Every structure is written in structure tokens, then in C-alpha cells.
Amino acid sequence: MIDEYGRGIDYIRISVTDRCNLRCVYCMPKEGVDFLPHSKILTYEEIIRLCKCFAALGIHKVKITGGEPLVRKDLPYLIKQIKEIPGIENVTITTNGILLVEQIEDLVNAGVDSMNISLDTLDREQFREVTRFDLLDKVVAGLKEALKYPDLTVKINCVPICQKNEEEAVLSMVALAKDTNVHVRFIELMPIGLGKELSGYTEDSIKNMIEQRYGKLTLYRKTLGNGPCSYYSLEGFQGKIGFISAMSHKFCDTCNRVRLTSDGCLKNCLQYSVGTDLKQRMEQGISDEELREVIQSSIMKKPKAHQFGEIEEPDNNEVSLEERRMSQIGG
Ligand code: SAM
Ligand code: SF4
């Protein structure tokens, strides 16, 4: 569907849980995390019903996220059901990879098209510092397992953070794309939740580091995914290097996505807390036709752009800034 600013909205990120088996410093606090009770989380049946409505409205691509999506039981069942919905073309997943070795086969059999594995460093001590768990080996084993499936597109998401995973970490992540067909993407840290207390690296500074070590990055013009990542080739590398730079290269004018939080709130923009409670509507007995209308009118209110780094308070009194963590929204 087309929103008020003429943007085609065809992609939804669905968070299936606010729980996680890691505690990344930019995403979750070390302790004292309050999780939603199970009764507040969308059931698989509710998610499937909503996906049918999204598909009817022209949303063809679904990303399953969290929290950590693989901690939710029977995720392959959900993926299989979503894949079977007419109009859904593509179902992908974003995971920290900890549980991949055990689950990859079932996920692939369920029909997952592509997998983003979040991995910020290949240095064990840095990994422990960033995620607060000594589990690098599990993620690396999960990545290797994922690469055994030739039809599965595998991408790595890395958020470089000042004083945590800096230049050498970035360069060793890039090296992963040399001999394997894995795309390594660098995400600029966003000032959401705990991200407000840290500093990240800009796209330009990361490009500089990479070019000094590996040579010229050449823009890759073909489409490689559903989102705002711009990809580059490096000579002699199998995989591409990508940048998702919401801060330094704002992409709001082509933003094609909306988000569904694990408690059923349809959110149009990461920065604002405003959203439409679809779970409540379903519990009140709304019909499918009414549900589609609610979704459509909610998406029509998608803001023109985020204003991260530009404002402390929104200029519109009717909206407020998002207070929740990325793990609660579904990054
Ligand atoms: N647990 C899964 C994972 O880590 O891939 C899925 C959820 S996680 C919230 C999704 C993505 O958001 C991860 O790649 C993570 O690095 C990213 N992320 C979390 N907080 C962020 C922030 N403040 N700025 C930029 N990216 C962030
Ligand atoms: Fe968990 Fe993903 Fe957040 Fe890390 S980024 S704490 S893995 S939800």
C-alpha cells in the first residue's frame, strides 16, 4: 500500500518475543529486565491472522525478529504458516545465532528465505563485553551451519561501537566476506534505549577503515534485500559489504517498512512511541475487514521522517518519543 507521502509499504518486521538469551550493551540492561507476561504476547494464530491482513494490503515481505526470535518455541511452525499465505513472497529472520545449530534445519525446511545473524566481533573477549555472555563459539558454529545451505542467503549485522568493537573488529568482520558468500553489513548505532548512552561509528568512518586495508569499495547496484542497506563490492571478495546508516544517510523518504511489536502494537517509525494496539482489537472481536481498515488507516499516519539526533522533544504535541528498548520494539 501507499502511505500519505507516496511511499510503497511492502515490508513488516514482526517481533515474536521481547525475551533474549544475550544482553547486548546497546540493547538490553545487564539485570532487572521486565518481560511481558505470556498472556500479553501475540499468539501464533494472531500473528498468522494479521499476516493475512497485511498480505491483502500489499505487504509481501516479513522479517521475524525479537528479542531473540529463536527463544520462542516452535518458530519453524510460524514461519511455515506465514510462507503459505497467498501474497507473502519472502520470510526472513534476524537472530543472534546462539540457537542456530539446533534450529537451522527446521527453519530452512519451514521455508525461511534469508537469515541475518547479528555478530559484532570475532574476538572472544570483545564478544563477552558487548553481549555479556561468553558464547562467541556458538554464534560462529551457527554461522557455519547456516552457510551449509546454498539456497539460504546469509547476512551478518554488525554494530561497531566506540571503545568496544573498533577498527580491528570491523576489519576481521569484513574478512568473513572474502572466502564465503556472506554479506557483512555495518549498522549505525541508533539513539534508542541504551543506544543513547554509547557512541557508534559513521558509515564514512567505517568505509575509510575498510578501504585502507582492503582497497576500493565499489557500489553494487543490484538489489540484495528488502531494506535500506547499500551494498559495495571489494575486489576478490565473494560477499558484499553493506551499510545501514539511519543516522548519517537517512533513508526515510524511501522507507518501505512498518513494525509489529510482540504485544501486538503496529508501529510506523522507530523513533515515536505512537502505535495501534492490534492485539486489543482482535481480543475485542474485530472482523478481518475492520482489522484491515484499522491497519490501513494506521499506516497512513506513518511519519514523514525520524528526527534522531535533531530533537530532544517532538515538534508535534500529539506524539511522544519511543522510550522502549530495541529488544521490546523488534529492531
Ligand atoms: N536478537 C536478534 C538479533 O540480535 O539479531 C533480533 C533482534 S535485535 C533488536 C535486531 C538488530 O537490532 C540486531 O542486529 C542489533 O544489533 C540491532 N540493534 C539493537 N539495538 C540497536 C541500536 N541501538 N542501534 C542500532 N542497531 C541496534
Ligand atoms: Fe538480544 Fe538482539 Fe538485543 Fe542483542 S541485539 S540483546 S541479541 S535482542
Side-chain angles (χ1 to χ4, degrees):
M1 64 169 286
I2 307 292
D3 78 357
E4 192 192 345
Y5 298 101
R7 295 171 294 198
I9 309 297
D10 63 354
Y11 173 51
I12 186 154
R13 297 177 70 94
I14 299 180
S15 172
V16 294
T17 180
D18 61 338
R19 292 167 197 243
C20 187
N21 43 6
L22 295 181
R23 292 287 181 275
C24 301
V25 286
Y26 47 77
C27 184
M28 287 178 92
K30 187 175 176 190
E31 284 160 353
V33 191
D34 288 331
F35 294 114
L36 289 164
H38 289 299
S39 60
K40 296 269 183 210
I41 299 279
L42 286 170
T43 63
Y44 282 170
E45 278 54 47
E46 286 169 333
I47 295 175
I48 293 159
R49 180 176 176 202
L50 287 172
C51 283
K52 288 180 182 161
C53 295
F54 297 137
L57 291 169
I59 294 177
H60 305 303
K61 302 163 194 171
V62 175
K63 165 83 74 200
I64 302 293
T65 180
E68 172 48 37
L70 302 194
V71 302
R72 183 144 176 194
K73 235 175 123 199
D74 295 333
L75 193 68
Y77 163 81
L78 177 70
I79 289 176
K80 190 162 186 298
Q81 297 300 312
I82 298 177
K83 278 286 287 193
E84 283 173 5
I85 297 172
I88 298 289
E89 294 163 2
N90 190 267
V91 180
T92 62
I93 188 166
T94 290
T95 171
N96 62 28
I98 300 289
L99 298 172
L100 257 190
V101 169
E102 294 91 321
Q103 297 192 24
I104 184 84
E105 191 178 348
D106 290 342
L107 291 167
V108 171
N109 288 340
V112 72
D113 293 288
S114 162
M115 188 160 289
N116 294 351
I117 301 176
S118 298
L119 178 58
D120 296 327
T121 176
L122 290 170
D123 179 281
R124 182 174 169 185
E125 189 45 38
Q126 274 178 13
F127 182 93
R128 198 194 53 74
E129 212 189 306
V130 173
T131 66
R132 302 194 177 99
F133 282 84
D134 187 10
L135 292 173
L136 174 65
D137 289 352
K138 281 210 165 260
V139 186
V140 171
L143 171 62
K144 283 189 180 148
E145 212 50 41
L147 290 171
K148 288 183 184 164
Y149 295 85
D151 294 334
L152 183 71
T153 305
V154 181
K155 299 172 187 166
I156 290 177
N157 286 348
C158 171
V159 184
I161 308 284
C162 300
Q163 291 165 13
K164 301 268 184 243
N165 51 335
E166 299 189 294
E167 187 159 351
E168 279 313 311
V170 165
L171 295 173
S172 49
M173 295 304 295
V174 171
L176 287 175
K178 189 164 195 318
D179 301 319
T180 42
N181 189 21
V182 61
H183 308 304
V184 178
R185 297 131 42 102
F186 294 98
I187 303 179
E188 281 182 356
L189 181 73
M190 284 183 277
I192 293 179
L194 295 164
K196 289 179 197 151
E197 292 160 31
L198 296 158
S199 341
Y201 283 91
T202 61
E203 173 173 332
D204 289 352
S205 59
I206 299 167
K207 277 181 172 162
N208 257 333
M209 294 174 197
I210 297 174
E211 291 199 321
Q212 279 183 22
R213 175 73 60 92
Y214 296 111
K216 190 169 165 31
L217 287 158
T218 307
L219 186 63
Y220 183 72
R221 295 186 187 278
K222 292 188 201 146
T223 307
L224 260 183
N226 301 324
C229 188
S230 41
Y231 286 96
Y232 291 78
S233 309
L234 278 173
E235 204 178 322
F237 279 60
Q238 287 189 42
K240 306 289 173 235
I241 307 300
F243 298 91
I244 304 175
S245 310
M247 303 302 293
S248 70
H249 294 67
K250 224 166 149 171
F251 39 76
C252 303
D253 55 344
T254 54
C255 184
N256 63 342
R257 61 189 52 196
V258 290
R259 294 177 153 81
L260 183 65
T261 61
S262 55
D263 56 354
C265 178
L266 184 65
K267 249 181 89 68
N268 288 321
C269 177
L270 266 181
Q271 190 178 23
Y272 304 104
S273 64
V274 60
T276 305
D277 189 341
L278 299 179
K279 183 166 173 69
Q280 188 191 51
R281 305 276 160 85
M282 289 189 287
E283 285 168 350
Q284 287 166 348
I286 192 172
S287 71
D288 283 351
E289 192 183 344
E290 289 165 327
L291 195 51
R292 285 194 296 274
E293 279 167 18
V294 168
I295 293 169
Q296 190 156 19
S297 72
S298 171
I299 294 177
M300 283 311 279
K301 294 190 204 118
K302 184 171 164 71
K304 189 168 184 210
H306 76 66
Q307 295 173 289
F308 285 128
E310 295 163 27
I311 53 159
E312 300 268 314
E313 288 294 326
D315 43 18
N316 174 349
N317 289 337
E318 288 169 23
V319 295
S320 54
L321 295 183
E322 182 58 83
E323 295 290 332
R324 287 175 293 182
R325 297 184 297 271
M326 202 67 128
S327 60
Q328 292 171 305
I329 307 164

